[in-house]
């Protein structure tokens, strides 16, 4: 019989929300900035301010290398992927524009687009994915009209982990002169991405998930060849540059980075980005590890748990996210038991992605979600399977 786990012994499977634990180098970098530097980059000329500025620039270079970007000044730091997406969406769209998106989007994409549609600023076409969450690029092509300004697509689903064919979709956008905006919140640091080869114009990323940085970090990456002046800033204010003028600077990154940056967070993001890029096997090795864990969990659960119902597939490219439910139990009840009784942390519900759940047939109940990390091991998955088996059998007694 599976013993209850002690509260101090936690198994963390909520990495699709925020990765934990972080590599030790991330914590060290944050503490070093807070205790040894602490200054505001670009606002002063003293030694500590210069050191802070160097951290920010090194982080830009690391993120640029991650995405195959030549000019690190095209890396714009934001508080998260949501702010980056809002900056891109609200920055490029104008009255009368048409936008194409998908039924697999996170609310950070759907909500700003829906609000602009409701206000009569844009018209919106939502292309429905198939039952396993995959988009047909030809449906995107057919939805593009003479008024289409942008296509906004989630690279990898936070609900079931499926990966969209963004290179093919991006090629269609290029052929039609349409701006291609990609939400890489789930794929950055997990799936190899090249902003040029994948035909991406604007990319949004989160720092606190697959890049193993602190919360409150993320960014908008603008392709080297894209005219960034097509994007109107979301915020205006102090940049530490051109302080003699009241106009917002029109050069990068200052055009989009008003206010003090989260340098403590960026210090950790730099460490996390370097950590994953320098690991044996690089990003591809990380993806292989996560897929191995995903496949192992699904196979074991389907074999041992009578009422296990899985919505993620190991037959398709994925980020190592598993969406499932245990019949006869609500997902909230199951997640609570896993947390309180077994020390297993996961996500339950609709995961800020109502349309995705409607697409795969899990609305309104939602699902449980396990999101695996480079630090998770098969032994933890075995314990989780045994816990779920015990939960399932308790209702069937």
């Amino acid at each position: 019989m599976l013993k209850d786990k002690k509260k101090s012994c936690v198994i963390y499977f909520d990495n699709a929300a925020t990765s934990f634990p972080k590599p030790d180098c991330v914590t060290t970098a944050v503490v070093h900035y807070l205790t040894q530097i602490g200054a505001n980059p670009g606002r002063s000329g003293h030694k500590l301010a210069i050191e802070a500025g160097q951290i920010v620039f090194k982080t830009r270079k690391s993120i640029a290398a991650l995405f195959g970007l030549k000019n690190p000044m095209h890396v714009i730091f934001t508080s998260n992927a949501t702010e980056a997406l809002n900056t891109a969406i609200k920055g490029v769209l104008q009255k009368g524009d048409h936008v194409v998106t998908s039924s697999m989007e996170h609310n950070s994409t759907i909500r700003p687009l829906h609000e602009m549609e409701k206000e009569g600023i844009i018209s919106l076409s939502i292309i429905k994915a198939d039952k396993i969450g995959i988009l047909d690029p030809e449906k995107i092509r057919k939805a593009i009209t003479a008024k289409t300004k942008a296509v906004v697509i989630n690279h990898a689903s936070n609900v079931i982990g499926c990966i969209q064919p963004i290179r093919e979709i991006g090629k269609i956008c290029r052929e039609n002169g349409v701006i291609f905006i990609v939400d890489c919140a789930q794929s950055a640091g997990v799936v190899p991405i090249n902003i040029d080869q994948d035909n991406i114009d604007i990319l949004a990323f989160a720092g606190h998930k697959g890049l193993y940085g602190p919360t409150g970090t993320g960014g908008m990456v603008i392709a080297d060849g894209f005219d960034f002046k097509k994007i109107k800033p979301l915020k205006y204010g102090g940049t530490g540059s051109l302080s003699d003028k009241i106009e917002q600077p029109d050069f990068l990154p200052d055009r989009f980075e008003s206010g003090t940056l989260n340098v403590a967070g960026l210090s950790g993001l730099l460490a996390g980005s370097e950590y994953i890029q320098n690991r044996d096997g690089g990003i591809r090795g990380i993806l292989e590890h996560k897929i191995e864990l995903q496949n192992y969990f699904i196979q074991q659960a389907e074999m041992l748990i009578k009422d296990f119902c899985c919505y993620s597939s190991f037959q398709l490219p994925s980020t190592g996210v598993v969406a499932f439910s245990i019949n006869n139990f609500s997902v909230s009840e199951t997640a609570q038991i896993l947390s309180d009784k077994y020390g297993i942390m996961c996500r339950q519900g609709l995961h800020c992605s109502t349309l995705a759940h409607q697409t795969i047939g899990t609305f309104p109940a939602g699902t449980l979600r396990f999101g695996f990390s480079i630090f998770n091991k098969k032994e933890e998955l075995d314990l989780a399977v045994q816990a779920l088996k015990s939960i399932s059998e308790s209702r069937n007694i």
Side-chain angles (χ1 to χ4, degrees):
M1 181 178 179
L2 182 70
K3 294 181 179 180
D4 296 354
K5 292 186 68 62
K6 297 178 181 179
K7 290 184 179 179
S8 60
C9 186
V10 167
I11 296 176
Y12 189 85
F13 292 151
D14 199 16
N15 292 282
T18 295
S19 58
F20 178 80
K22 309 294 184 184
D24 290 342
C25 60
V26 173
T27 304
T28 300
V30 174
V31 172
H32 176 75
Y33 168 77
L34 291 173
T35 59
Q36 303 300 318
I37 302 174
N40 198 328
R43 267 60 175 185
S44 305
H46 56 73
K47 177 182 177 181
L48 295 181
I50 292 172
E51 285 190 47
Q54 289 173 341
I55 290 172
V56 173
F57 182 64
K58 288 179 182 177
T59 312
R60 290 192 209 282
K61 288 182 66 177
S62 183
I63 296 299
L66 180 73
F67 296 123
L69 186 74
K70 296 183 178 69
N71 188 349
M73 293 304 180
H74 280 232
V75 176
I76 310 302
F77 291 123
T78 61
S79 58
N80 44 49
T82 299
E83 183 182 347
L85 285 165
N86 273 262
T87 300
I89 289 168
K90 296 180 180 179
V92 302
L93 299 178
Q94 299 175 348
K95 180 76 173 180
D97 286 339
H98 172 247
V99 183
V100 178
T101 190
S102 84
S103 66
M104 294 302 292
E105 302 307 307
H106 189 275
N107 281 342
S108 54
T109 290
I110 283 295
R111 283 180 173 173
L113 288 174
H114 173 69
E115 191 66 23
M116 294 184 79
E117 181 186 39
K118 188 170 67 173
E119 293 174 356
I121 300 172
I122 65 167
S123 57
L124 181 63
S125 295
I126 300 175
I127 306 305
K128 189 170 183 179
D130 61 23
K131 286 290 184 181
I132 54 176
I134 301 297
L135 286 165
D136 180 354
E138 287 305 309
K139 289 185 178 180
I140 302 289
R141 186 192 299 275
K142 291 177 181 178
I144 293 174
T145 72
K147 291 187 176 181
T148 304
K149 183 71 164 290
V151 171
V152 189
I153 297 296
N154 187 339
H155 186 195
S157 171
N158 69 306
V159 175
I160 55 176
C162 62
I163 300 173
Q164 303 297 348
I166 59 169
R167 186 167 295 188
E168 291 81 358
I169 296 171
K171 183 179 179 182
I172 291 169
C173 292
R174 289 282 167 88
E175 292 170 352
N176 289 274
V178 173
I179 298 170
F180 189 33
I181 302 171
V182 182
D183 174 6
C184 294
Q186 292 293 322
S187 57
V190 180
V191 181
I193 300 168
N194 185 289
I195 194 167
D196 181 45
Q197 295 175 9
D198 290 326
N199 303 303
I200 301 170
D201 292 309
I202 306 172
L203 179 158
F205 72 92
H208 62 103
K209 300 177 189 286
L211 299 182
Y212 293 89
T215 52
T217 59
M220 177 178 71
V221 180
I222 305 170
D224 290 297
F226 186 78
D227 182 3
F228 64 86
K229 293 186 179 180
K230 291 181 179 179
I231 312 171
K232 185 179 179 180
L234 185 66
K235 300 183 295 183
Y236 295 80
T239 59
S241 59
L242 302 184
S243 295
D244 59 323
K245 302 181 183 301
I246 62 173
E247 290 83 15
Q248 184 79 2
D250 64 357
F251 54 84
L252 295 179
D254 299 43
R255 179 179 175 88
F256 301 105
E257 287 185 353
S258 294
T260 298
L261 291 172
N262 176 11
V263 189
L266 294 180
S267 299
L269 177 59
L270 171 60
S273 177
E274 290 180 339
Y275 178 83
I276 62 171
Q277 292 185 71
N278 294 331
R279 279 175 61 89
D280 290 342
I283 304 300
R284 291 191 182 279
I286 291 172
L287 181 59
E288 289 171 2
H289 173 73
K290 290 191 173 188
I291 291 175
E292 182 182 2
L293 294 180
Q294 169 196 286
N295 293 348
Y296 180 80
F297 172 76
I298 293 174
Q299 290 168 345
Q300 293 298 307
E302 288 182 340
M303 180 172 60
L304 297 174
I305 304 170
K306 178 181 178 182
D307 295 322
F308 181 79
C309 182
C310 185
Y311 305 97
S312 298
S313 172
F314 58 82
Q315 298 175 336
L316 294 171
S318 175
T319 57
V321 168
V322 181
F324 65 96
S325 61
I326 302 296
N327 293 339
N328 302 322
F329 279 86
S330 73
V331 295
S332 295
E333 183 181 11
T334 308
Q336 196 69 49
I337 296 171
L338 285 173
S339 174
D340 294 348
K341 189 174 183 180
Y342 300 105
I344 298 172
M345 310 300 151
C346 67
R347 178 78 184 268
Q348 81 287 340
L350 297 174
H351 317 106
C352 301
S353 190
T354 298
L355 294 185
H357 281 278
Q358 291 175 346
T359 300
I360 66 173
T362 53
F363 182 84
T367 65
L368 289 155
R369 183 184 71 188
F370 280 6
F372 302 122
S373 157
I374 54 177
F375 298 114
N376 288 129
K377 300 177 180 179
K378 287 183 178 179
E379 292 81 1
E380 294 177 314
L381 274 61
D382 289 335
L383 289 171
V385 170
Q386 288 300 316
L388 290 166
K389 184 174 183 291
S390 295
I391 293 170
S392 174
E393 291 174 350
S394 71
R395 184 58 58 89
N396 292 324
I397 294 175

